[in-house]
Amino acid sequence: LAEEIRKKRHELFESVNAFRFNKKRVQVLTEVKEFPENSKGILYWMSRDQRVQDNWSLLYAQKLALKQNLPLYVCFCLVPTFLNATIRHYYFMLEGLKEVEKELNELNIQFHLLIGQAKDQVPKFIQENKIAGLICDFSPLRIHKNWVEELKKNLPDNIPFAQVDAHNVVPCWIASDKLEYAARTIRNKINSKLDDYLTEFPPVIKHPVVSEIEKKTIDWEACYSSLQVDQSVKVVKWARPGYLGAIKNLEDFIKNKIKFYDSERNDPNKNALSNMSPWYHFGQVSVQRCMLEVKKYASKNSEAVKALMEESIVRRELADNFCYYQPNYDNLEGAYDWAKLTLEAHRKDKRPALYSLSELENFKTSDRLWNASQIQLRVEGKMHGFLRMYWAKKILEWTESPEQGLEYAIYLNDKYSLDGRDPNGYVGCMWSICGIHDQGWAERAVFGKIRYMNYEGCKRKFDVERFITRYYAR
Ligand code: FO1
């Protein structure tokens, strides 16, 4: 599939002979009328979108470099800790970045792995290499927003700086200019723009202007040694990091699983999910690319494709919308008033059990289905989509306060899930514990009007014992 995609990208480029770049994907962060004189290059500071092809930020940076007849550089700033990430996550990321380096080398684009914060490393790189313009990618999370703000303060005045949303199909600020209430309020705003945005990608081409600067080889060992992370959370085997691993997983999904997606995706015993989220989280593959490939199967499996597009585009982009427009995207302040009121009213309700963080982390509850889900999370670095909801709701039921429940759920998800530390993870926990993008339901103890899920309900949906047996054996 990777080879088929590569060929098509080039054919398309040759047939159009130049590509149109939709400028709405770009936000200008620092406007400068003219590029500085004696410039020696354009720089893309890569962060969320860790891939070469199908990356609108890199395509835009190359477009600028070609127009100015300048060399093109890509840098990545490696930070020693990141939101409870462990070696499991850094391994996935760094192995993917090795592939990025190789691919960029073949395209005459230098890749620099800078150890440290963007606010220090990028201005230094700009000065040393006489960079004329800077492009970055987009994330709605406050950590990335802060990186961008701090970097902006340290940039020379005459450097144009622009941001491209290379992650969402419809750029976050175009999909909607406000906080959306639920999937139903954003769905049409996104779907009605897909004709303009769910388009084929041109290729990043072999860059015609070569840098005069000699490139140092990247010392990957030094990268690993610079990390200050938990080494005890083991690397997972099922997901091969990088773009090629992503395309292989996609191909397997399209060939073998999509036919079951519509009917079996809510059954944790079945293997009907795409499991693309680790690669999406690190931007090792573009959701847009995957949807273009999957859409080719639309006539054969249209219900499955519709459902997948809803999950992969509408729901993911709704999560970005929430984090972008709601500064309290990961705490109770970010809940709707009805949810805050109902959780407050039930704050003192007696919990059926109380577990400490360590008991939860080590699957020591009296609920075997919950324990099995937690085992899956710890061992595989993922949890089945249906059980993620049950898992988080139980944490609300078993902790002293909704604040503590939310904190524990986010902590465990960020620490163990390959796709943690992502808008989707925060919104998933917020949906389960404080009703974000949901509505009020019949009132009951602890939960108030927050939607309730229980063991009996799970038993009606799937063979719970089979799931437990499988994970207790791990
Ligand atoms: N992005 C970076 O630019 N530098 C890092 O060192 C880095 C580490 C990292 C570790 C775990 C993880 O899940 C993501 C990580 N990211 C890193 C990517 C991060 O998701 C993006 O920077 C986002 O833009 C932040 O929202």
Side-chain angles (χ1 to χ4, degrees):
L1 187 61
E3 182 52 22
E4 202 181 292
I5 293 171
R6 194 191 63 76
K7 266 202 202 134
K8 200 166 49 198
R9 225 187 257 122
H10 280 266
E11 274 166 23
L12 187 88
F13 182 65
E14 275 151 25
S15 68
V16 202
N17 204 7
F19 73 91
R20 282 178 298 273
F21 188 93
N22 189 335
K23 285 270 173 60
K24 289 187 178 152
R25 294 192 194 273
V26 185
Q27 290 197 110
V28 176
L29 301 177
T30 312
E31 194 141 20
V32 173
K33 294 257 157 8
E34 271 174 34
F35 283 97
E37 276 178 30
N38 289 328
S39 307
K40 292 275 165 55
I42 297 290
L43 175 64
Y44 162 35
W45 160 41
M46 174 185 279
S47 177
R48 192 189 195 191
D49 292 283
Q50 301 166 17
R51 65 185 178 279
V52 177
Q53 297 297 344
D54 306 335
N55 180 338
W56 292 115
S57 302
L58 182 53
L59 282 162
Y60 187 63
Q62 181 163 56
K63 191 177 163 69
L64 291 183
L66 289 172
K67 202 165 156 201
Q68 306 291 322
N69 204 26
L70 290 171
L72 175 58
Y73 298 89
V74 177
C75 76
F76 184 88
C77 298
L78 182 66
V79 293
T81 57
F82 185 85
L83 303 171
N84 284 324
T86 68
I87 193 64
R88 169 178 289 174
H89 313 105
Y90 273 93
Y91 170 83
F92 195 82
M93 183 173 86
L94 289 172
E95 295 307 303
L97 287 172
K98 285 182 183 172
E99 208 176 300
V100 166
E101 182 198 26
K102 199 162 152 268
E103 228 178 313
L104 286 174
N105 274 344
E106 286 162 8
L107 296 174
N108 285 343
I109 303 168
Q110 285 196 6
F111 181 56
H112 291 256
L113 202 306
L114 310 173
I115 296 182
Q117 298 285 341
K119 70 176 168 55
D120 306 317
Q121 299 303 320
V122 173
K124 198 165 135 227
F125 189 90
I126 287 181
Q127 202 188 22
E128 284 170 7
N129 297 290
K130 298 204 171 66
I131 294 300
L134 176 63
I135 306 300
C136 71
D137 46 37
F138 163 81
S139 161
L141 297 189
R142 68 176 76 83
I143 188 165
H144 190 261
K145 281 186 179 168
N146 290 341
W147 286 349
V148 172
E149 279 311 308
E150 294 297 307
L151 166 58
K152 213 172 121 177
K153 285 188 210 148
N154 288 355
L155 283 179
D157 301 337
N158 60 348
I159 296 288
F161 182 19
Q163 179 168 52
V164 182
D165 185 349
H167 214 79
N168 294 296
V169 176
V170 181
C172 190
W173 49 83
I174 299 292
S176 170
D177 58 5
K178 61 171 201 280
L179 183 68
E180 292 292 338
Y181 203 75
R184 71 186 144 75
T185 69
I186 202 172
R187 184 173 296 116
N188 195 39
K189 294 185 182 177
I190 291 177
N191 286 340
S192 65
K193 296 182 181 78
L194 291 183
D195 282 349
D196 288 336
Y197 291 95
L198 186 51
T199 54
E200 285 288 345
F201 290 93
V204 172
I205 56 168
K206 187 159 187 154
H207 202 69
V209 197
V210 181
S211 165
E212 292 159 16
I213 300 156
E214 205 188 326
K215 184 189 175 299
K216 283 189 247 138
T217 48
I218 297 175
D219 183 349
W220 294 102
E221 281 307 308
C223 291
Y224 276 103
S225 318
S226 74
L227 304 177
Q228 294 160 20
V229 299
D230 185 337
Q231 303 280 335
S232 70
V233 180
K234 296 292 170 244
V235 162
V236 299
K237 301 254 164 50
W238 67 270
R240 183 179 131 200
Y243 172 77
L244 291 172
I247 295 293
K248 220 166 163 32
N249 189 69
L250 175 69
E251 194 172 3
D252 175 46
F253 175 69
I254 290 174
K255 275 198 185 139
N256 306 316
K257 300 184 188 165
I258 197 170
K259 50 181 171 289
F260 306 116
Y261 186 76
D262 191 41
S263 55
E264 297 186 348
R265 70 175 180 280
N266 282 328
D267 185 343
N269 290 313
K270 300 279 164 59
N271 195 2
L273 299 182
S274 79
N275 289 327
M276 290 302 295
S277 62
W279 292 278
Y280 289 161
H281 167 70
F282 290 97
Q284 294 177 350
V285 73
S286 137
V287 175
Q288 185 168 340
R289 163 60 61 201
C290 297
M291 291 306 107
L292 288 172
E293 297 312 306
V294 158
K295 258 180 60 167
K296 294 181 192 148
Y297 296 80
S299 53
K300 279 184 250 164
N301 295 294
S302 63
E303 283 312 310
V305 173
K306 260 191 252 157
L308 189 77
M309 299 252 294
E310 167 76 12
E311 293 298 326
S312 318
I313 303 180
V314 176
R315 299 287 168 154
R316 301 186 74 84
E317 302 197 1
L318 175 63
D320 260 39
N321 170 278
F322 184 69
C323 296
Y324 190 55
Y325 293 113
Q326 172 52 266
N328 290 304
Y329 57 74
D330 56 356
N331 64 69
L332 237 72
E333 277 306 304
Y336 304 125
D337 286 342
W338 70 262
K340 281 186 200 158
L341 284 172
T342 199
L343 287 169
E344 197 52 49
H346 291 271
R347 188 173 282 283
K348 302 225 166 70
D349 290 1
K350 188 170 174 356
R351 272 60 180 157
L354 281 176
Y355 296 112
S356 67
L357 180 58
S358 151
E359 285 168 318
L360 294 170
E361 190 159 6
N362 296 307
F363 34 90
K364 299 247 180 308
T365 79
S366 61
D367 177 331
R368 290 156 69 242
L369 175 60
W370 192 93
N371 295 344
S373 311
Q374 173 66 18
I375 296 172
Q376 181 178 36
L377 178 65
R378 281 192 67 155
V379 177
E380 296 180 356
K382 67 172 180 189
M383 192 188 298
H384 190 278
F386 181 80
L387 288 171
R388 285 185 189 217
M389 305 185 272
Y390 178 73
W391 174 88
K393 284 181 180 293
K394 280 286 156 187
I395 299 180
L396 168 63
E397 208 175 349
W398 293 334
T399 42
E400 271 163 24
S401 65
E403 288 83 359
Q404 191 182 60
L406 186 61
E407 185 193 320
Y408 288 2
I410 291 177
Y411 170 81
L412 294 172
N413 188 55
D414 281 1
K415 179 168 174 184
Y416 293 107
S417 195
L418 266 180
D419 67 4
R421 296 140 270 102
D422 190 276
N424 264 290
Y426 300 125
V427 167
C429 292
M430 292 286 277
W431 179 88
S432 303
I433 293 176
C434 47
I436 283 307
H437 301 147
D438 201 3
Q439 62 185 63
W441 296 77
E443 196 155 358
R444 57 166 51 246
V446 187
F447 284 80
K449 293 179 182 158
I450 304 291
R451 186 197 295 251
Y452 176 68
M453 280 171 88
N454 70 359
Y455 199 91
E456 290 305 309
C458 292
K459 269 167 60 183
R460 284 193 293 273
K461 290 253 181 205
F462 67 97
D463 184 347
V464 166
E465 279 307 318
R466 193 172 144 204
F467 186 84
I468 294 171
T469 310
R470 179 161 151 214
Y471 283 95
Y472 266 58
R474 294 297 298 264

